[in-house]
């Protein structure tokens, strides 16, 4: 391995947070670690004697509509009931409109915005015999887009004035601001998080796109596929592909495919989906289309087999009789990219060591023989290492050097700085990312064909000029590229963000569209790691809830168990199968409880108090 120097770099180079909150959405996020790799569930479409449109399968008996407001309700209690009813979006929020006068219902625009709030207060401003004015005051938690995209927001205070009057002796709302305001607890009961899948730039894996939907199960498959067809969220649009887009469209109704001898998949349950325009797709693109559909539906507990057709004929003749299953597209799942195939390593005494069942052994080659390494990362295939070495020079000379080399071989200096963050590898080992001096992001590009490594500057201007508040501020102290390569998680000024990794036409890279997540934390974040493709583990300052997990859209912020931890937490490193932290005294692994109780942190023996865990990525 040699170093190329043709590019820049070296050598040429508001409301208080709530402590001990187990989850932002406790009804939905019981334990983020427990659902990391689940693709299927326990619910299935019911059997029937002939194919039916999904909208007619297992339809529950329906009444004339949602239940009306309670009779003779006091206006303040009626307002609380109204905030609960806004969580039902059916028929343009018909459940909520029943609390309004006809004139107010006709005027109210429920599509303009949806705001999720925490513990709303209804404050009376005035009241007479038949008129009342109230103010709803609450802390904003998130915004929900029409496509189900969730965006966590800083806890600013929302104040809405509501005018009420009596109609036939019953209090009703007769004037309110446009837009939906939804109580967080009601949102948790009505909405569920689903994962749509799109194709990464290389066409080798699928990328998650989270949505929150309130839809009856018999409408869920159609709703999810309609959302895929509409495309990903705008931030991801430049970097992912979608096979379910024009000229490919849904053809006819989605049906249940079992029981009728004239249907494909005789005697099977599951679903039957026909795609117009798919007959012209290449075999590989047909497989990617199937991956998007199957993994999305399976994750939503719409079980297979999945009878997928292209213009009335089997999408792939191999699955004409049996239909597609999750196993047939499993190789496209981001869970495959997340698997740790090389085991646990650690930095111990400034050297890279491998943790085995029989003990801890220093790694071979340069990285296992030095004693000045401050941070390290191993490529997912275990062949390459990037590490930050102490240069031994006093300030103002550069005190850190980014070293890149082969596992078991030699290493070369790639960049220098007063500080260099823990490196992070792309899933294919093509580049190691790092932050120099808190304000420069570089990629150490690893050309396997030539054995050269060269530094490449990453454009971060979009992070610092992003619209909205808050936006990332320097310094950037941690950056981890996701295993799909499409997103990066970073800590900037103690706050956590997720950004999009965008490859430009000239081969350069940029970080764009920063989204603040883990908002409202009472202490600063110090370390983070991708737990899976849509969940991040965070270590932060302080003794209260030092480890948390959060979804990439900022939802499901969950404080993890801290039993046996001795804060402060210095570093976290995670994969779906194993989660590690380095605290003030040891490296510990999150371990299941054989008695069925909560998991706990258990020390990894043989590493010592100054060691830090190293997982691939």
């Amino acid at each position: 391995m040699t170093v190329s120097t043709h590019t820049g770099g070296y050598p040429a180079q508001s409301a208080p947070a709530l402590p001990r909150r187990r989850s932002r959405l406790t009804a939905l996020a019981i334990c983020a670690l427990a659902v990391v790799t689940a693709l299927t569930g326990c619910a299935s479409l019911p059997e029937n004697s002939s194919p039916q449109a999904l909208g007619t399968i297992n339809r529950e008996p329906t009444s004339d509509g949602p239940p009306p407001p309670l009779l003779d309700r006091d206006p303040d209690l009626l307002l609380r009931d109204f905030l609960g009813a806004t969580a039902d979006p059916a028929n343009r929020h018909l459940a909520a409109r029943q609390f309004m006068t006809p004139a107010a219902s006709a005027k109210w625009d429920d599509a303009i915005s949806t705001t999720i709030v925490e513990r709303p207060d209804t404050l009376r401003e005035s009241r007479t015999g038949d008129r009342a004015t109230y103010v709803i005051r609450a802390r904003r938690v998130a915004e929900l887009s029409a496509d189900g995209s969730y965006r966590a927001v800083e806890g600013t205070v929302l104040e809405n004035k509501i005018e009420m009057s009596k109609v036939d002796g019953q209090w009703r709302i007769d004037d309110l601001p446009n837009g939906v305001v939804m109580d967080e607890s009601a949102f948790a009961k009505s909405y569920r998080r689903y994962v749509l899948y799109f194709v990464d730039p290389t066409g080798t894996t699928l990328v998650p796109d989270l949505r929150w939907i309130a839809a009856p199960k018999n409408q869920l498959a159609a709703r999810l596929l309609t959302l895929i067809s509409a495309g990903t969220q705008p931030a991801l649009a430049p970097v992912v592909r979608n096979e379910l887009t024009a000229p490919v469209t849904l053809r006819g109704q989605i049906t249940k495919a079992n029981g009728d001898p004239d249907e494909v998949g005789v005697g099977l349950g599951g679903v039957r989906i026909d795609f117009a325009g798919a007959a012209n797709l290449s075999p590989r693109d047909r497989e990617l289309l199937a991956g998007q559909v199957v993994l999305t539906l399976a994750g939503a507990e719409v079980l297979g087999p999945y009878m997928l057709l292209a213009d009335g004929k089997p999408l792939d003749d191999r699955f004409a009789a049996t239909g597609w299953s999750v196993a047939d597209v499993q190789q496209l799942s981001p869970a495959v990219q997340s698997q740790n195939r090389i085991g646990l390593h650690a930095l111990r005494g400034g050297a890279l060591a491998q943790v085995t069942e029989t003990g801890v052994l220093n790694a071979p080659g340069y990285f296992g023989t030095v004693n000045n390494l401050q941070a390290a990362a191993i490529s997912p295939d275990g062949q390459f290492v990037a590490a930050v070495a102490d240069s031994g020079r006093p300030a103002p000379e550069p005190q850190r050097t980014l070293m890149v080399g082969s596992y078991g071989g030699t290493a070369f200096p790639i960049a220098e700085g007063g500080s260099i963050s823990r490196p992070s590898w792309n899933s294919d080992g093509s580049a190691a990312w790092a932050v120099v001096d808190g304000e420069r992001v570089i990629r150490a590009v690893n050309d396997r064909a030539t054995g050269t490594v060269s530094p490449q500057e990453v454009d971060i201007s979009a992070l610092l000029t992003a619209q909205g508040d808050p936006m990332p501020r320097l310094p950037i102290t941690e950056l981890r590229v996701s295993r799909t390569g499409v997103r990066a998680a970073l800590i900037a000024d103690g706050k956590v963000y997720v950004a999009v990794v965008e490859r430009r036409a000239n081969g350069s890279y940029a970080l764009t569209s920063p989204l603040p997540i883990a908002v409202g934390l009472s202490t600063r974040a110090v370390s983070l790691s991708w737990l899976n493709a849509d969940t991040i583990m965070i270590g932060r300052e302080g003794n209260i809830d030092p480890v948390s997990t959060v979804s990439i859209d900022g939802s499901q912020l969950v404080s993890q168990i801290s039993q046996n931890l001795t804060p402060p937490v210095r570093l976290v490193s995670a994969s779906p199968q194993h989660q590690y932290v380095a605290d003030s005294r040891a490296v510990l692994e999150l371990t299941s409880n054989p008695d069925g109780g909560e998991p706990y942190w258990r020390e990894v023996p043989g590493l010592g108090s100054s060691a830090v865990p190293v997982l691939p990525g």
Side-chain angles (χ1 to χ4, degrees):
M1 177 180 292
T2 60
V3 179
S4 170
T5 61
H6 65 276
T7 58
Y10 180 90
Q13 50 165 39
S14 94
L18 299 178
R20 289 303 302 169
R21 174 177 294 165
R22 293 297 299 171
S23 173
R24 170 68 71 193
L25 299 173
T26 54
L28 297 172
I30 296 173
C31 180
L33 300 180
V35 297
V36 165
T37 57
L39 285 175
T40 60
C42 57
S44 62
L45 295 174
E47 298 297 325
N48 202 290
S49 59
S50 61
Q52 304 174 57
L54 283 189
T56 68
I57 296 175
N58 197 28
R59 184 186 295 276
E60 297 291 338
T62 59
S63 64
D64 293 333
L70 296 175
L71 291 175
D72 302 321
R73 196 72 157 157
D74 283 341
D76 57 336
L77 297 178
L78 188 84
L79 275 182
R80 292 185 180 275
D81 296 344
F82 166 74
L83 290 175
T86 58
D88 181 357
N91 299 319
R92 298 181 58 240
H93 290 90
L94 176 60
R97 291 180 187 275
Q98 295 184 119
F99 291 78
M100 305 176 193
T101 64
S105 176
K107 181 182 175 183
W108 184 53
D109 183 358
D110 62 326
I112 193 170
S113 65
T114 299
T115 304
I116 302 167
V117 299
E118 179 183 55
R119 292 200 300 268
D121 288 329
T122 54
L123 308 174
R124 186 174 69 188
E125 280 196 349
S126 64
R127 178 176 174 180
T128 63
D130 57 1
R131 299 287 302 175
T133 300
Y134 281 81
V135 172
I136 295 176
R137 181 177 296 157
R139 179 176 175 268
R140 287 185 175 92
V141 170
E143 297 169 350
L144 193 69
S145 301
D147 64 359
S149 302
Y150 182 104
R151 181 186 176 93
V153 298
E154 289 285 358
T156 56
V157 175
L158 173 142
E159 285 192 5
N160 279 355
K161 181 173 288 189
I162 306 292
E163 301 286 348
M164 305 181 72
S165 63
K166 277 191 174 181
V167 177
D168 297 328
Q170 301 296 319
W171 286 102
R172 293 293 181 265
I173 297 168
D174 63 7
D175 189 47
L176 76 165
N178 288 325
V180 174
V181 176
M182 191 185 311
D183 185 4
E184 181 182 38
S185 60
F187 172 76
K189 293 176 182 178
S190 297
Y191 284 75
R192 179 181 165 187
R193 192 191 81 156
Y194 295 96
V195 183
L196 309 183
Y197 286 99
F198 296 90
V199 183
D200 83 317
T202 68
T204 58
T205 190
L206 298 180
V207 177
D209 186 1
L210 307 187
R211 306 296 175 91
W212 288 84
I213 302 169
K217 185 181 175 183
N218 54 33
Q219 300 173 15
L220 184 57
R223 173 71 169 143
L224 292 172
L225 295 190
T226 298
L227 286 173
I228 294 178
S229 182
T232 188
Q233 298 180 46
L236 283 179
V239 298
V240 299
R241 291 165 45 193
N242 185 10
E243 298 298 339
L244 184 49
T245 189
V248 178
T249 60
L250 290 174
R251 181 173 181 256
Q253 291 183 312
I254 302 172
T255 63
K256 188 174 185 292
N258 74 313
D260 191 320
D262 295 327
E263 292 293 329
V264 176
V266 175
L268 297 176
V271 293
R272 178 183 182 275
I273 309 169
D274 196 353
F275 299 101
N280 296 322
L281 295 178
S282 69
R284 179 56 177 172
D285 288 343
R286 293 186 185 205
E287 185 176 18
L288 293 172
L289 172 62
Q292 286 186 252
V293 172
V294 170
L295 292 184
T296 296
L297 295 183
E301 299 178 359
V302 178
L303 301 189
Y306 307 92
M307 313 305 299
L308 305 183
L309 307 179
D311 299 290
K313 297 180 180 179
L315 184 68
D316 189 317
D317 288 337
R318 292 175 298 169
F319 309 108
T322 60
W324 294 73
S325 69
V326 171
D328 297 323
V329 295
Q330 186 65 39
Q331 73 280 3
L332 298 172
S333 169
V336 173
Q337 297 284 352
S338 299
Q339 293 177 0
N340 175 9
R341 298 178 176 85
I342 64 172
L344 174 65
H345 286 68
L347 281 187
R348 181 185 63 164
L352 183 66
Q354 184 178 15
V355 181
T356 69
E357 293 183 356
T358 58
V360 181
L361 304 172
N362 276 21
Y366 165 83
F367 295 101
T369 56
V370 295
N371 61 4
N372 64 341
L373 301 184
Q374 307 293 309
I378 304 175
S379 63
D381 62 6
Q383 295 188 30
F384 298 96
V385 180
V388 180
D390 186 344
S391 68
R393 288 175 281 185
E397 292 294 316
Q399 297 174 287
R400 299 288 183 268
T401 303
L402 177 63
M403 306 293 295
V404 177
S406 58
Y407 186 95
T410 57
F412 301 92
I414 302 301
E416 287 187 336
S419 67
I420 300 178
S421 70
R422 176 171 50 147
S424 177
W425 283 95
N426 279 25
S427 61
D428 60 0
S430 61
W433 296 60
V435 184
V436 180
D437 293 328
E439 59 186 21
R440 291 176 49 223
V441 176
I442 65 168
R443 301 172 70 247
V445 181
N446 178 29
D447 189 331
R448 293 178 184 243
T450 63
T452 61
V453 181
S454 57
Q456 180 188 59
E457 295 283 337
V458 176
D459 182 5
I460 64 170
S461 59
L463 299 186
L464 306 179
T465 59
Q467 297 298 312
D469 185 33
M471 59 186 179
R473 302 191 190 109
L474 300 176
I476 300 172
T477 55
E478 181 94 301
L479 186 148
R480 313 299 297 164
V481 179
S482 72
R483 296 175 182 104
T484 64
V486 165
R487 294 183 175 94
L490 57 99
I491 297 175
D493 193 31
K495 297 183 178 181
V496 182
Y497 301 84
V498 169
V500 173
V501 177
E502 186 174 334
R503 188 177 191 272
R504 303 277 171 76
N506 62 0
S508 65
Y509 282 77
L511 295 178
T512 63
S513 304
L515 180 70
I517 62 173
V519 299
L521 290 180
S522 59
T523 55
R524 296 165 62 89
V526 296
S527 181
L528 56 77
S529 182
W530 288 89
L531 180 58
N532 63 16
D534 58 48
T535 306
I536 293 166
M537 176 174 279
I538 303 166
R540 56 194 182 101
E541 296 174 345
N543 298 325
I544 299 175
D545 299 335
V547 180
S548 303
T549 57
V550 65
S551 294
I552 54 176
D553 60 358
S555 66
Q556 297 184 322
L557 176 59
V558 182
S559 298
Q560 297 301 310
I561 192 73
S562 58
Q563 183 178 344
N564 294 338
L565 291 183
T566 306
V569 167
R570 296 176 288 126
L571 182 141
V572 297
S573 190
S575 70
Q577 298 80 22
H578 300 280
Q579 298 84 47
Y580 299 93
V581 303
D583 68 4
S584 63
R585 65 177 182 85
V587 172
L588 301 98
E589 180 180 7
L590 189 62
T591 306
S592 60
N593 192 320
D595 298 326
E598 284 191 312
Y600 60 95
W601 294 96
R602 182 177 64 182
E603 182 176 347
V604 178
L607 290 179
S609 60
S610 63
V612 294
V614 178
L615 291 177

